Amino acid sequence: MPSIFSYQSAEVDWCESNFERSAVIAEYYNTVSKLWEFYCLQHPLGISQPRARMETLLTQAVFLLAGIFSVYFHMTLSYVGQLLDELSILWTLAVAYSFWYPRVYFPRCIKSRKHFFWLSGVTTVISTLMSFIKPAINAYALNCIAFHLLYLTWRELKKCNDKRVHRMAAVMVALWVLAISSWISDRWLCGLWQAINFPYLHSFWHVLIAMSLLYCCPLVIYFDINYELPAFKPKLGYWPSDSWPVVVPYVALEEPHKQC
């Protein structure tokens, strides 16, 4: 039995050929693209100043851990790396739901953010233990959570008339569709991509999902401000300019509404 820390001991092996570009990095392009994703995702939550600093820092910390563990997994394809990669994503989602899930969507039995925090914690512990039963299906289960996030986005868009918000959501969804299509194609059509010598779609997944999250995070912050800081009016913008082909979306706070 190989060690759970051994190279290529994971249940999952992506389509990219192993050790083709490096003697120490199993999946070179998947690792490099993950580093790029990790770098990109350090920005968006940093603009979330309306939230408590501890909440923002903790959310950024789990993003950081998810990036580190995923890089380790693609470098080694070890069993431990696979579990850390998948569980760190689960923990990141748990933290994001705990702090950013709108109160209006809480179950009726939940009366406060503190109660919802404990519900998320218990659910995460149970999900973590279940993840050890069959790690190969963890990635599919985690990807299914995206459908709930899309549903919540749709619910929020029905209440919003701001064309910028709708445009940003449309770009986010389009990038997610391209990302998940790349992920599925790499997983299920590997023979085809290897036959044409292009087994790199999982690295495209890393790039595209990072771009989708760059649009998702400002949307979450925008909706969060509407709920948590109703006296302020959030406004979506693009840096450095709306006219640039490649931009970084952000949220700006306009002057507080006048109170009666």
Side-chain angles (χ1 to χ4, degrees):
M1 291 287 291
S3 167
I4 58 175
F5 293 94
S6 298
Y7 273 67
Q8 296 180 280
S9 58
E11 291 186 353
V12 176
D13 189 354
W14 299 100
C15 197
E16 182 182 351
S17 299
N18 299 330
F19 303 105
E20 189 174 50
R21 299 279 177 176
S22 170
V24 296
I25 300 177
E27 295 177 339
Y28 181 82
Y29 288 107
N30 285 348
T31 302
V32 171
S33 61
K34 190 64 188 185
L35 284 169
W36 183 89
E37 176 190 349
F38 163 68
Y39 171 78
C40 285
L41 293 182
Q42 291 311 296
H43 163 75
L45 284 171
I47 60 178
S48 169
Q49 297 305 321
R51 269 297 193 176
R53 183 169 178 79
M54 183 57 68
E55 296 176 4
T56 302
L57 290 176
L58 184 55
T59 307
Q60 287 180 306
V62 291
F63 263 113
L64 175 64
L65 283 177
I68 292 173
F69 290 151
S70 187
V71 168
Y72 171 70
F73 168 54
H74 288 294
M75 284 185 64
T76 64
L77 290 179
S78 66
Y79 184 78
V80 166
Q82 178 188 343
L83 287 176
L84 288 175
D85 178 30
E86 294 162 351
L87 291 178
S88 64
I89 296 173
L90 172 64
W91 301 333
T92 300
L93 288 169
V95 170
Y97 267 74
S98 297
F99 290 148
W100 304 90
Y101 193 75
R103 297 172 188 266
V104 68
Y105 299 122
F106 282 3
R108 291 183 179 180
C109 59
I110 301 299
K111 303 301 181 183
S112 68
R113 176 72 62 180
K114 182 179 179 180
H115 291 163
F116 186 75
F117 180 86
W118 283 106
L119 174 64
S120 300
V122 171
T123 303
T124 303
V125 170
I126 295 173
S127 300
T128 298
L129 295 175
M130 292 178 62
S131 297
F132 289 89
I133 298 175
K134 186 62 177 175
I137 68 172
N138 293 343
Y140 294 96
L142 290 170
N143 273 313
C144 287
I145 297 176
F147 292 105
H148 183 243
L149 297 175
L150 292 174
Y151 169 73
L152 290 177
T153 302
W154 173 73
R155 289 281 301 270
E156 288 299 315
L157 291 177
K158 289 176 64 177
K159 308 175 188 176
C160 178
N161 296 319
D162 191 328
K163 292 183 179 180
R164 278 178 171 260
V165 175
H166 284 260
R167 185 178 72 173
M168 190 173 289
V171 174
M172 178 195 73
V173 172
L175 288 169
W176 176 80
V177 170
L178 291 174
I180 196 64
S181 298
S182 299
W183 190 93
I184 293 173
S185 295
D186 185 272
R187 198 83 191 102
W188 294 353
L189 302 175
C190 180
L192 170 64
W193 299 115
Q194 288 182 337
I196 62 175
N197 198 29
F198 194 77
Y200 307 117
L201 284 185
H202 193 75
S203 61
F204 278 66
W205 150 261
H206 287 160
V207 174
L208 290 167
I209 199 63
M211 295 172 65
S212 180
L213 288 172
L214 278 175
Y215 285 83
C216 177
C217 290
L219 278 176
V220 170
I221 295 167
Y222 178 93
F223 296 135
D224 182 72
I225 293 171
N226 281 331
Y227 284 116
E228 301 295 333
L229 295 172
F232 288 85
K233 182 180 180 181
K235 181 180 179 181
L236 293 176
Y238 297 95
W239 181 89
S241 170
D242 288 14
S243 60
W244 282 46
V246 179
V247 295
V248 176
Y250 66 90
V251 180
L253 289 181
E254 294 186 347
E255 292 295 325
H257 297 308
K258 291 183 179 180
Q259 300 295 318
C260 297

